[in-house]
Amino acid sequence: TLVSTGMKCKLAPGTYLELSVRSSTPLKYWIMLANGVGIIDADYYNNESNEGHMWVALQNEGEKEFTVEKGNGYAQGVFAKFLTVDDEEIIDKKRTGGFGSTNKKEKRD
Protein backbone atom coordinates (compact mmCIF):
# COMPACT_ATOMS: atom_id res chain seq x y z
CA THR A 1 0.00 0.00 0.00
CA LEU A 2 1.10 3.59 -0.54
CA VAL A 3 1.91 5.35 2.72
CA SER A 4 2.06 9.12 2.91
CA THR A 5 5.24 10.56 4.40
CA GLY A 6 3.70 13.97 4.98
CA MET A 7 6.83 15.51 3.43
CA LYS A 8 8.17 16.90 0.21
CA CYS A 9 11.75 17.69 -0.66
CA LYS A 10 13.38 20.20 -2.99
CA LEU A 11 16.54 18.73 -4.50
CA ALA A 12 19.53 20.43 -6.10
CA PRO A 13 20.25 19.63 -9.76
CA GLY A 14 22.33 16.46 -10.09
CA THR A 15 20.97 14.92 -6.89
CA TYR A 16 18.25 12.45 -5.96
CA LEU A 17 16.70 11.08 -2.78
CA GLU A 18 16.85 7.33 -2.27
CA LEU A 19 14.14 5.85 -0.03
CA SER A 20 14.50 2.46 1.62
CA VAL A 21 13.05 0.70 4.64
CA ARG A 22 14.88 1.05 7.91
CA SER A 23 17.12 -1.93 8.59
CA SER A 24 14.97 -3.22 11.46
CA THR A 25 11.63 -2.95 9.63
CA PRO A 26 11.76 -6.31 7.78
CA LEU A 27 13.04 -8.07 10.90
CA LYS A 28 10.42 -6.65 13.25
CA TYR A 29 7.37 -6.51 11.00
CA TRP A 30 8.10 -8.36 7.71
CA ILE A 31 7.41 -5.09 5.91
CA MET A 32 9.46 -4.18 2.82
CA LEU A 33 9.40 -1.54 0.12
CA ALA A 34 7.34 -2.96 -2.74
CA ASN A 35 9.79 -1.60 -5.33
CA GLY A 36 12.93 -2.46 -3.32
CA VAL A 37 14.15 1.12 -3.32
CA GLY A 38 12.41 4.40 -4.10
CA ILE A 39 14.07 7.12 -6.16
CA ILE A 40 12.83 10.71 -5.92
CA ASP A 41 14.08 12.87 -8.81
CA ALA A 42 14.64 16.62 -8.55
CA ASP A 43 11.72 17.35 -10.91
CA TYR A 44 9.27 15.57 -8.59
CA TYR A 45 9.08 18.62 -6.31
CA ASN A 46 6.07 20.92 -6.85
CA ASN A 47 4.69 19.09 -9.89
CA GLU A 48 1.09 19.76 -10.92
CA SER A 49 -0.27 16.39 -9.86
CA ASN A 50 0.73 16.26 -6.19
CA GLU A 51 3.07 19.18 -5.48
CA GLY A 52 5.90 16.71 -4.83
CA HIS A 53 4.39 15.00 -1.80
CA MET A 54 6.40 11.81 -1.17
CA TRP A 55 4.94 8.36 -0.58
CA VAL A 56 6.49 4.97 0.17
CA ALA A 57 5.11 1.72 -1.24
CA LEU A 58 5.11 -0.77 1.64
CA GLN A 59 4.41 -4.46 1.20
CA ASN A 60 3.58 -6.91 3.97
CA GLU A 61 5.55 -10.15 3.50
CA GLY A 62 4.40 -11.57 6.82
CA GLU A 63 1.46 -13.74 7.78
CA LYS A 64 -0.04 -11.22 10.23
CA GLU A 65 -2.03 -8.10 9.40
CA PHE A 66 0.04 -4.96 9.87
CA THR A 67 -1.08 -1.42 10.63
CA VAL A 68 1.14 1.56 9.83
CA GLU A 69 1.10 3.81 12.87
CA LYS A 70 1.57 7.55 12.51
CA GLY A 71 4.91 8.74 13.91
CA ASN A 72 6.70 5.39 13.63
CA GLY A 73 9.70 5.29 11.29
CA TYR A 74 9.49 2.55 8.69
CA ALA A 75 11.54 4.13 5.91
CA GLN A 76 14.52 6.46 5.57
CA GLY A 77 16.07 8.63 2.90
CA VAL A 78 19.61 9.18 1.67
CA PHE A 79 20.57 12.16 -0.51
CA ALA A 80 23.01 11.33 -3.28
CA LYS A 81 24.63 12.84 -6.37
CA PHE A 82 24.43 11.12 -9.72
CA LEU A 83 26.46 11.14 -12.92
CA THR A 84 25.28 10.89 -16.52
CA VAL A 85 26.79 9.29 -19.60
CA ASP A 86 28.40 11.49 -22.27
CA ASP A 87 25.62 11.09 -24.83
CA GLU A 88 22.62 11.19 -22.48
CA GLU A 89 19.65 13.02 -23.94
CA ILE A 90 18.30 15.50 -21.42
CA ILE A 91 14.57 15.96 -21.77
CA ASP A 92 13.75 19.41 -20.52
CA LYS A 93 10.01 19.35 -20.01
CA LYS A 94 7.86 20.13 -17.02
CA ARG A 95 6.80 17.15 -14.95
CA THR A 96 3.03 16.84 -14.77
CA GLY A 97 2.61 13.69 -12.71
CA GLY A 98 3.32 12.42 -9.23
CA PHE A 99 4.10 8.96 -7.90
CA GLY A 100 4.82 6.52 -10.73
CA SER A 101 4.60 9.08 -13.53
CA THR A 102 8.06 8.64 -15.10
CA ASN A 103 7.67 7.73 -18.81
CA LYS A 104 3.89 7.85 -18.48
CA LYS A 105 2.25 8.54 -21.84
CA GLU A 106 0.02 11.59 -22.07
CA LYS A 107 -3.67 10.90 -22.67
CA ARG A 108 -4.98 11.78 -26.11
CA ASP A 109 -8.48 13.04 -26.80
Side-chain angles (χ1 to χ4, degrees):
T1 189
L2 286 176
V3 179
S4 168
T5 65
M7 297 182 286
K8 48 189 225 179
C9 178
K10 187 173 184 178
L11 297 165
T15 62
Y16 69 96
L17 175 60
E18 180 178 315
L19 300 175
S20 58
V21 293
R22 295 175 57 123
S23 60
S24 63
T25 301
L27 295 171
K28 288 182 181 177
Y29 311 111
W30 286 92
I31 299 298
M32 299 189 186
L33 254 132
N35 53 345
V37 65
I39 301 295
I40 306 292
D41 300 312
D43 66 349
Y44 188 75
Y45 180 78
N46 270 353
N47 69 73
E48 293 176 2
S49 174
N50 69 359
E51 297 183 351
H53 183 89
M54 295 183 295
W55 301 74
V56 291
L58 296 180
Q59 183 171 327
N60 186 349
E61 294 292 328
E63 296 178 7
K64 297 179 185 175
E65 188 172 304
F66 178 78
T67 301
V68 174
E69 295 181 19
K70 185 176 182 175
N72 283 359
Y74 302 105
Q76 59 193 359
V78 175
F79 296 95
K81 291 186 175 281
F82 65 88
L83 304 172
T84 59
V85 295
D86 289 341
D87 62 349
E88 180 172 344
E89 179 184 343
I90 304 296
I91 300 170
D92 189 23
K93 76 177 198 181
K94 185 176 180 183
R95 185 185 197 113
T96 57
F99 189 90
S101 64
T102 300
N103 294 329
K104 190 174 183 180
K105 303 281 187 212
E106 292 183 25
K107 289 185 178 181
R108 296 182 181 183
D109 294 329

Short mmCIF file of all heavy atoms in Angstrom, two decimals, residues 10-66:
data_model
loop_
_atom_site.label_atom_id
_atom_site.label_comp_id
_atom_site.label_asym_id
_atom_site.label_seq_id
_atom_site.Cartn_x
_atom_site.Cartn_y
_atom_site.Cartn_z
N LYS A 10 12.81 19.52 -1.83
CA LYS A 10 13.38 20.20 -2.99
C LYS A 10 14.84 19.78 -3.11
O LYS A 10 15.62 19.92 -2.17
CB LYS A 10 13.28 21.71 -2.82
CG LYS A 10 13.70 22.47 -4.04
CD LYS A 10 13.41 23.95 -3.89
CE LYS A 10 13.76 24.69 -5.17
NZ LYS A 10 13.44 26.11 -5.07
N LEU A 11 15.20 19.25 -4.28
CA LEU A 11 16.54 18.73 -4.50
C LEU A 11 17.34 19.62 -5.44
O LEU A 11 16.79 20.21 -6.37
CB LEU A 11 16.47 17.33 -5.10
CG LEU A 11 15.80 16.28 -4.20
CD1 LEU A 11 15.44 15.05 -5.01
CD2 LEU A 11 16.70 15.92 -3.05
N ALA A 12 18.63 19.69 -5.21
CA ALA A 12 19.53 20.43 -6.10
C ALA A 12 19.70 19.65 -7.40
O ALA A 12 19.59 18.42 -7.41
CB ALA A 12 20.88 20.61 -5.42
N PRO A 13 19.97 20.34 -8.50
CA PRO A 13 20.25 19.63 -9.76
C PRO A 13 21.40 18.63 -9.56
O PRO A 13 22.35 18.91 -8.82
CB PRO A 13 20.67 20.75 -10.72
CG PRO A 13 20.04 21.99 -10.15
CD PRO A 13 20.05 21.80 -8.66
N GLY A 14 21.29 17.47 -10.20
CA GLY A 14 22.33 16.46 -10.09
C GLY A 14 22.26 15.63 -8.83
O GLY A 14 23.19 14.91 -8.50
N THR A 15 21.15 15.73 -8.09
CA THR A 15 20.97 14.92 -6.89
C THR A 15 19.63 14.19 -6.93
O THR A 15 18.74 14.54 -7.70
CB THR A 15 21.01 15.77 -5.60
OG1 THR A 15 19.93 16.70 -5.62
CG2 THR A 15 22.33 16.49 -5.45
N TYR A 16 19.51 13.17 -6.12
CA TYR A 16 18.25 12.45 -5.96
C TYR A 16 18.13 12.01 -4.51
O TYR A 16 19.10 12.05 -3.75
CB TYR A 16 18.16 11.25 -6.92
CG TYR A 16 19.11 10.11 -6.60
CD1 TYR A 16 18.69 9.02 -5.85
CD2 TYR A 16 20.43 10.13 -7.05
CE1 TYR A 16 19.56 7.98 -5.56
CE2 TYR A 16 21.30 9.09 -6.78
CZ TYR A 16 20.85 8.02 -6.03
OH TYR A 16 21.70 6.99 -5.73
N LEU A 17 16.95 11.60 -4.12
CA LEU A 17 16.70 11.08 -2.78
C LEU A 17 16.35 9.62 -2.92
O LEU A 17 15.44 9.26 -3.67
CB LEU A 17 15.56 11.85 -2.11
CG LEU A 17 15.11 11.35 -0.74
CD1 LEU A 17 16.25 11.40 0.27
CD2 LEU A 17 13.92 12.16 -0.26
N GLU A 18 17.10 8.77 -2.24
CA GLU A 18 16.85 7.33 -2.27
C GLU A 18 16.10 6.94 -1.01
O GLU A 18 16.56 7.22 0.10
CB GLU A 18 18.18 6.58 -2.34
CG GLU A 18 18.03 5.08 -2.38
CD GLU A 18 19.36 4.37 -2.49
OE1 GLU A 18 20.20 4.80 -3.31
OE2 GLU A 18 19.56 3.40 -1.76
N LEU A 19 14.94 6.31 -1.17
CA LEU A 19 14.14 5.85 -0.03
C LEU A 19 14.28 4.35 0.11
O LEU A 19 14.22 3.61 -0.87
CB LEU A 19 12.66 6.21 -0.23
CG LEU A 19 12.33 7.68 -0.39
CD1 LEU A 19 10.85 7.86 -0.69
CD2 LEU A 19 12.71 8.45 0.86
N SER A 20 14.45 3.90 1.34
CA SER A 20 14.50 2.46 1.62
C SER A 20 13.90 2.22 3.00
O SER A 20 13.72 3.16 3.78
CB SER A 20 15.95 1.94 1.56
OG SER A 20 16.75 2.64 2.48
N VAL A 21 13.57 0.98 3.30
CA VAL A 21 13.05 0.70 4.64
C VAL A 21 14.19 0.74 5.64
O VAL A 21 15.36 0.50 5.29
CB VAL A 21 12.33 -0.67 4.72
CG1 VAL A 21 11.07 -0.68 3.90
CG2 VAL A 21 13.22 -1.82 4.39
N ARG A 22 13.88 1.08 6.86
CA ARG A 22 14.88 1.05 7.91
C ARG A 22 15.34 -0.39 8.10
O ARG A 22 14.56 -1.32 7.87
CB ARG A 22 14.30 1.62 9.20
CG ARG A 22 13.94 3.09 9.06
CD ARG A 22 13.25 3.59 10.30
NE ARG A 22 14.09 3.35 11.46
CZ ARG A 22 14.49 4.30 12.30
NH1 ARG A 22 14.11 5.53 12.12
NH2 ARG A 22 15.24 4.00 13.33
N SER A 23 16.56 -0.58 8.53
CA SER A 23 17.12 -1.93 8.59
C SER A 23 16.35 -2.87 9.51
O SER A 23 16.29 -4.07 9.27
CB SER A 23 18.59 -1.88 9.03
OG SER A 23 18.71 -1.27 10.30
N SER A 24 15.70 -2.36 10.54
CA SER A 24 14.97 -3.22 11.46
C SER A 24 13.54 -3.52 11.00
O SER A 24 12.91 -4.45 11.51
CB SER A 24 14.91 -2.57 12.85
OG SER A 24 14.20 -1.35 12.78
N THR A 25 13.03 -2.79 10.04
CA THR A 25 11.63 -2.95 9.63
C THR A 25 11.30 -4.35 9.13
O THR A 25 10.33 -4.96 9.60
CB THR A 25 11.24 -1.88 8.59
OG1 THR A 25 11.45 -0.59 9.17
CG2 THR A 25 9.80 -2.00 8.16
N PRO A 26 12.09 -4.94 8.21
CA PRO A 26 11.76 -6.31 7.78
C PRO A 26 11.90 -7.33 8.92
O PRO A 26 11.12 -8.28 8.98
CB PRO A 26 12.79 -6.60 6.68
CG PRO A 26 13.25 -5.27 6.21
CD PRO A 26 13.18 -4.38 7.41
N LEU A 27 12.86 -7.13 9.80
CA LEU A 27 13.04 -8.07 10.90
C LEU A 27 11.92 -8.02 11.92
O LEU A 27 11.44 -9.05 12.39
CB LEU A 27 14.38 -7.79 11.61
CG LEU A 27 15.63 -8.03 10.78
CD1 LEU A 27 16.86 -7.51 11.51
CD2 LEU A 27 15.79 -9.51 10.47
N LYS A 28 11.48 -6.82 12.24
CA LYS A 28 10.42 -6.65 13.25
C LYS A 28 9.03 -6.96 12.72
O LYS A 28 8.21 -7.57 13.41
CB LYS A 28 10.42 -5.22 13.78
CG LYS A 28 11.57 -4.87 14.68
CD LYS A 28 11.40 -3.43 15.15
CE LYS A 28 12.53 -2.98 16.03
NZ LYS A 28 12.38 -1.56 16.42
N TYR A 29 8.75 -6.49 11.49
CA TYR A 29 7.37 -6.51 11.00
C TYR A 29 7.15 -7.29 9.70
O TYR A 29 6.01 -7.44 9.27
CB TYR A 29 6.90 -5.06 10.74
CG TYR A 29 7.16 -4.11 11.87
CD1 TYR A 29 8.11 -3.10 11.74
CD2 TYR A 29 6.47 -4.21 13.08
CE1 TYR A 29 8.35 -2.20 12.77
CE2 TYR A 29 6.70 -3.32 14.11
CZ TYR A 29 7.65 -2.33 13.95
OH TYR A 29 7.88 -1.44 14.98
N TRP A 30 8.19 -7.71 9.02
CA TRP A 30 8.10 -8.36 7.71
C TRP A 30 7.54 -7.40 6.66
O TRP A 30 6.85 -7.80 5.73
CB TRP A 30 7.27 -9.65 7.77
CG TRP A 30 8.02 -10.75 8.43
CD1 TRP A 30 7.99 -11.06 9.76
CD2 TRP A 30 8.95 -11.64 7.85
NE1 TRP A 30 8.83 -12.10 10.03
CE2 TRP A 30 9.43 -12.48 8.86
CE3 TRP A 30 9.43 -11.81 6.55
CZ2 TRP A 30 10.36 -13.47 8.61
CZ3 TRP A 30 10.34 -12.81 6.31
CH2 TRP A 30 10.81 -13.62 7.34
N ILE A 31 7.85 -6.12 6.84
CA ILE A 31 7.41 -5.09 5.91
C ILE A 31 8.60 -4.66 5.05
O ILE A 31 9.68 -4.42 5.57
CB ILE A 31 6.85 -3.86 6.67
CG1 ILE A 31 5.65 -4.28 7.51
CG2 ILE A 31 6.49 -2.72 5.72
CD1 ILE A 31 4.48 -4.81 6.73
N MET A 32 8.40 -4.57 3.74
CA MET A 32 9.46 -4.18 2.82
C MET A 32 8.92 -3.12 1.87
O MET A 32 7.71 -2.96 1.73
CB MET A 32 9.94 -5.38 2.02
CG MET A 32 10.50 -6.47 2.88
SD MET A 32 11.25 -7.68 1.81
CE MET A 32 11.68 -8.92 2.99
N LEU A 33 9.82 -2.44 1.19
CA LEU A 33 9.40 -1.54 0.12
C LEU A 33 9.02 -2.39 -1.08
O LEU A 33 9.78 -3.26 -1.50
CB LEU A 33 10.55 -0.59 -0.28
CG LEU A 33 10.34 0.83 0.22
CD1 LEU A 33 11.57 1.34 0.89
CD2 LEU A 33 9.95 1.70 -0.91
N ALA A 34 7.84 -2.15 -1.63
CA ALA A 34 7.34 -2.96 -2.74
C ALA A 34 8.26 -2.90 -3.95
O ALA A 34 8.42 -3.88 -4.67
CB ALA A 34 5.94 -2.51 -3.12
N ASN A 35 8.91 -1.75 -4.18
CA ASN A 35 9.79 -1.60 -5.33
C ASN A 35 11.27 -1.75 -4.95
O ASN A 35 12.13 -1.41 -5.73
CB ASN A 35 9.55 -0.27 -6.03
CG ASN A 35 9.63 0.92 -5.10
OD1 ASN A 35 9.60 0.77 -3.88
ND2 ASN A 35 9.73 2.11 -5.65
N GLY A 36 11.55 -2.24 -3.76
CA GLY A 36 12.93 -2.46 -3.32
C GLY A 36 13.61 -1.20 -2.84
O GLY A 36 14.15 -1.16 -1.76
N VAL A 37 13.58 -0.18 -3.67
CA VAL A 37 14.15 1.12 -3.32
C VAL A 37 13.35 2.18 -4.08
O VAL A 37 12.92 1.95 -5.21
CB VAL A 37 15.65 1.18 -3.64
CG1 VAL A 37 15.91 1.10 -5.12
CG2 VAL A 37 16.29 2.41 -3.07
N GLY A 38 13.13 3.31 -3.45
CA GLY A 38 12.41 4.40 -4.10
C GLY A 38 13.37 5.51 -4.49
O GLY A 38 14.26 5.85 -3.72
N ILE A 39 13.21 6.03 -5.68
CA ILE A 39 14.07 7.12 -6.16
C ILE A 39 13.19 8.34 -6.40
O ILE A 39 12.24 8.30 -7.17
CB ILE A 39 14.78 6.74 -7.48
CG1 ILE A 39 15.65 5.49 -7.29
CG2 ILE A 39 15.59 7.91 -8.01
CD1 ILE A 39 16.81 5.66 -6.35
N ILE A 40 13.53 9.44 -5.73
CA ILE A 40 12.83 10.71 -5.92
C ILE A 40 13.76 11.61 -6.74
O ILE A 40 14.86 11.93 -6.31
CB ILE A 40 12.51 11.39 -4.56
CG1 ILE A 40 11.75 10.45 -3.63
CG2 ILE A 40 11.78 12.71 -4.80
CD1 ILE A 40 10.35 10.11 -4.05
N ASP A 41 13.31 11.99 -7.93
CA ASP A 41 14.08 12.87 -8.81
C ASP A 41 13.84 14.32 -8.45
O ASP A 41 12.81 14.66 -7.87
CB ASP A 41 13.67 12.65 -10.27
CG ASP A 41 13.92 11.23 -10.74
OD1 ASP A 41 15.01 10.71 -10.50
OD2 ASP A 41 13.00 10.65 -11.35
N ALA A 42 14.75 15.19 -8.85
CA ALA A 42 14.64 16.62 -8.55
C ALA A 42 13.38 17.24 -9.14
O ALA A 42 12.79 18.14 -8.55
CB ALA A 42 15.87 17.37 -9.04
N ASP A 43 12.90 16.74 -10.29
CA ASP A 43 11.72 17.35 -10.91
C ASP A 43 10.41 16.88 -10.29
O ASP A 43 9.33 17.29 -10.69
CB ASP A 43 11.71 17.12 -12.43
CG ASP A 43 11.54 15.67 -12.81
OD1 ASP A 43 11.64 14.78 -11.95
OD2 ASP A 43 11.32 15.42 -14.01
N TYR A 44 10.47 16.04 -9.28
CA TYR A 44 9.27 15.57 -8.59
C TYR A 44 8.67 16.66 -7.71
O TYR A 44 7.48 16.73 -7.50
CB TYR A 44 9.63 14.34 -7.75
CG TYR A 44 8.46 13.64 -7.14
CD1 TYR A 44 7.62 12.84 -7.92
CD2 TYR A 44 8.18 13.73 -5.78
CE1 TYR A 44 6.55 12.17 -7.37
CE2 TYR A 44 7.11 13.07 -5.22
CZ TYR A 44 6.29 12.29 -6.02
OH TYR A 44 5.23 11.64 -5.47
N TYR A 45 9.51 17.56 -7.22
CA TYR A 45 9.08 18.62 -6.31
C TYR A 45 8.16 19.61 -7.01
O TYR A 45 8.46 20.08 -8.11
CB TYR A 45 10.31 19.35 -5.77
CG TYR A 45 10.02 20.47 -4.82
CD1 TYR A 45 9.70 20.20 -3.50
CD2 TYR A 45 10.08 21.79 -5.23
CE1 TYR A 45 9.44 21.23 -2.60
CE2 TYR A 45 9.83 22.83 -4.35
CZ TYR A 45 9.50 22.53 -3.03
OH TYR A 45 9.25 23.55 -2.15
N ASN A 46 7.06 19.94 -6.38
CA ASN A 46 6.07 20.92 -6.85
C ASN A 46 5.53 20.65 -8.25
O ASN A 46 5.27 21.56 -9.01
CB ASN A 46 6.64 22.34 -6.79
CG ASN A 46 6.34 22.98 -5.46
OD1 ASN A 46 5.63 22.44 -4.62
ND2 ASN A 46 6.89 24.15 -5.24
N ASN A 47 5.33 19.37 -8.60
CA ASN A 47 4.69 19.09 -9.89
C ASN A 47 3.18 19.30 -9.77
O ASN A 47 2.63 19.37 -8.67
CB ASN A 47 5.04 17.67 -10.37
CG ASN A 47 4.40 16.59 -9.52
OD1 ASN A 47 3.20 16.38 -9.60
ND2 ASN A 47 5.20 15.93 -8.70
N GLU A 48 2.51 19.43 -10.90
CA GLU A 48 1.09 19.76 -10.92
C GLU A 48 0.19 18.72 -10.27
O GLU A 48 -0.84 19.04 -9.72
CB GLU A 48 0.63 19.97 -12.37
CG GLU A 48 1.23 21.18 -13.03
CD GLU A 48 0.83 21.29 -14.49
OE1 GLU A 48 0.05 20.46 -14.97
OE2 GLU A 48 1.30 22.23 -15.14
N SER A 49 0.59 17.47 -10.33
CA SER A 49 -0.27 16.39 -9.86
C SER A 49 -0.36 16.30 -8.34
O SER A 49 -1.43 16.09 -7.79
CB SER A 49 0.24 15.06 -10.41
OG SER A 49 -0.48 13.98 -9.87
N ASN A 50 0.78 16.43 -7.64
CA ASN A 50 0.73 16.26 -6.19
C ASN A 50 1.67 17.19 -5.43
O ASN A 50 1.94 16.97 -4.26
CB ASN A 50 1.04 14.81 -5.81
CG ASN A 50 2.47 14.44 -6.09
OD1 ASN A 50 3.25 15.24 -6.58
ND2 ASN A 50 2.84 13.22 -5.77
N GLU A 51 2.17 18.19 -6.08
CA GLU A 51 3.07 19.18 -5.48
C GLU A 51 4.35 18.56 -4.90
O GLU A 51 5.03 19.16 -4.10
CB GLU A 51 2.35 19.99 -4.40
CG GLU A 51 1.20 20.81 -4.94
CD GLU A 51 0.54 21.67 -3.90
OE1 GLU A 51 0.84 21.53 -2.70
OE2 GLU A 51 -0.29 22.49 -4.28
N GLY A 52 4.67 17.34 -5.27
CA GLY A 52 5.90 16.71 -4.83
C GLY A 52 5.80 15.96 -3.51
O GLY A 52 6.81 15.58 -2.92
N HIS A 53 4.58 15.74 -3.04
CA HIS A 53 4.39 15.00 -1.80
C HIS A 53 4.92 13.57 -1.98
O HIS A 53 4.61 12.91 -2.95
CB HIS A 53 2.90 14.97 -1.43
CG HIS A 53 2.62 14.28 -0.15
ND1 HIS A 53 2.63 14.95 1.05
CD2 HIS A 53 2.38 12.99 0.12
CE1 HIS A 53 2.38 14.08 2.01
NE2 HIS A 53 2.23 12.89 1.47
N MET A 54 5.75 13.12 -1.04
CA MET A 54 6.40 11.81 -1.17
C MET A 54 5.59 10.71 -0.47
O MET A 54 5.02 10.93 0.60
CB MET A 54 7.80 11.86 -0.58
CG MET A 54 8.72 12.79 -1.34
SD MET A 54 10.41 12.79 -0.72
CE MET A 54 10.19 13.46 0.91
N TRP A 55 5.60 9.56 -1.08
CA TRP A 55 4.94 8.36 -0.58
C TRP A 55 5.95 7.21 -0.58
O TRP A 55 6.91 7.22 -1.34
CB TRP A 55 3.79 7.97 -1.49
CG TRP A 55 2.75 9.03 -1.65
CD1 TRP A 55 2.85 10.18 -2.39
CD2 TRP A 55 1.47 9.05 -1.06
NE1 TRP A 55 1.70 10.91 -2.30
CE2 TRP A 55 0.82 10.23 -1.48
CE3 TRP A 55 0.78 8.18 -0.22
CZ2 TRP A 55 -0.46 10.57 -1.10
CZ3 TRP A 55 -0.49 8.52 0.16
CH2 TRP A 55 -1.10 9.70 -0.27
N VAL A 56 5.71 6.21 0.25
CA VAL A 56 6.49 4.97 0.17
C VAL A 56 5.52 3.82 -0.08
O VAL A 56 4.40 3.81 0.45
CB VAL A 56 7.34 4.70 1.45
CG1 VAL A 56 8.47 5.68 1.57
CG2 VAL A 56 6.49 4.70 2.69
N ALA A 57 5.94 2.89 -0.91
CA ALA A 57 5.11 1.72 -1.24
C ALA A 57 5.54 0.57 -0.35
O ALA A 57 6.58 -0.05 -0.58
CB ALA A 57 5.27 1.37 -2.71
N LEU A 58 4.78 0.31 0.70
CA LEU A 58 5.11 -0.77 1.64
C LEU A 58 4.35 -2.03 1.29
O LEU A 58 3.19 -1.98 0.88
CB LEU A 58 4.79 -0.35 3.07
CG LEU A 58 5.58 0.83 3.63
CD1 LEU A 58 5.14 1.13 5.06
CD2 LEU A 58 7.07 0.55 3.58
N GLN A 59 5.01 -3.16 1.49
CA GLN A 59 4.41 -4.46 1.20
C GLN A 59 4.60 -5.37 2.40
O GLN A 59 5.71 -5.51 2.91
CB GLN A 59 5.09 -5.06 -0.03
CG GLN A 59 4.52 -6.37 -0.47
CD GLN A 59 5.09 -6.79 -1.81
OE1 GLN A 59 5.39 -5.97 -2.66
NE2 GLN A 59 5.26 -8.09 -1.98
N ASN A 60 3.54 -6.00 2.84
CA ASN A 60 3.58 -6.91 3.97
C ASN A 60 3.93 -8.32 3.48
O ASN A 60 3.18 -8.93 2.74
CB ASN A 60 2.22 -6.93 4.68
CG ASN A 60 2.22 -7.74 5.95
OD1 ASN A 60 3.18 -8.46 6.24
ND2 ASN A 60 1.16 -7.63 6.71
N GLU A 61 5.10 -8.81 3.88
CA GLU A 61 5.55 -10.15 3.50
C GLU A 61 5.27 -11.16 4.61
O GLU A 61 5.60 -12.33 4.47
CB GLU A 61 7.05 -10.14 3.18
CG GLU A 61 7.41 -9.33 1.95
CD GLU A 61 6.89 -9.94 0.67
OE1 GLU A 61 6.80 -11.19 0.57
OE2 GLU A 61 6.56 -9.17 -0.25
N GLY A 62 4.68 -10.70 5.69
CA GLY A 62 4.40 -11.57 6.82
C GLY A 62 3.03 -12.22 6.74
O GLY A 62 2.27 -11.99 5.81
N GLU A 63 2.74 -13.03 7.74
CA GLU A 63 1.46 -13.74 7.78
C GLU A 63 0.42 -12.99 8.61
O GLU A 63 -0.75 -13.33 8.58
CB GLU A 63 1.67 -15.15 8.33
CG GLU A 63 2.53 -16.00 7.40
CD GLU A 63 2.79 -17.39 7.96
OE1 GLU A 63 2.19 -17.75 8.99
OE2 GLU A 63 3.59 -18.11 7.34
N LYS A 64 0.87 -11.98 9.37
CA LYS A 64 -0.04 -11.22 10.23
C LYS A 64 -0.41 -9.90 9.57
O LYS A 64 0.38 -9.32 8.82
CB LYS A 64 0.61 -10.92 11.58
CG LYS A 64 0.94 -12.13 12.39
CD LYS A 64 1.60 -11.71 13.69
CE LYS A 64 2.04 -12.91 14.49
NZ LYS A 64 2.77 -12.52 15.70
N GLU A 65 -1.61 -9.42 9.87
CA GLU A 65 -2.03 -8.10 9.40
C GLU A 65 -1.15 -7.05 10.08
O GLU A 65 -0.75 -7.21 11.24
CB GLU A 65 -3.50 -7.87 9.77
CG GLU A 65 -4.06 -6.61 9.16
CD GLU A 65 -5.56 -6.51 9.39
OE1 GLU A 65 -6.29 -7.45 8.99
OE2 GLU A 65 -5.98 -5.50 9.97
N PHE A 66 -0.84 -6.00 9.36
CA PHE A 66 0.04 -4.96 9.87
C PHE A 66 -0.61 -3.60 9.68
O PHE A 66 -1.17 -3.32 8.62
CB PHE A 66 1.39 -4.99 9.14
CG PHE A 66 2.34 -3.93 9.59
CD1 PHE A 66 3.04 -4.07 10.77
CD2 PHE A 66 2.51 -2.78 8.83
CE1 PHE A 66 3.91 -3.08 11.20
CE2 PHE A 66 3.38 -1.79 9.24
CZ PHE A 66 4.08 -1.94 10.42
#
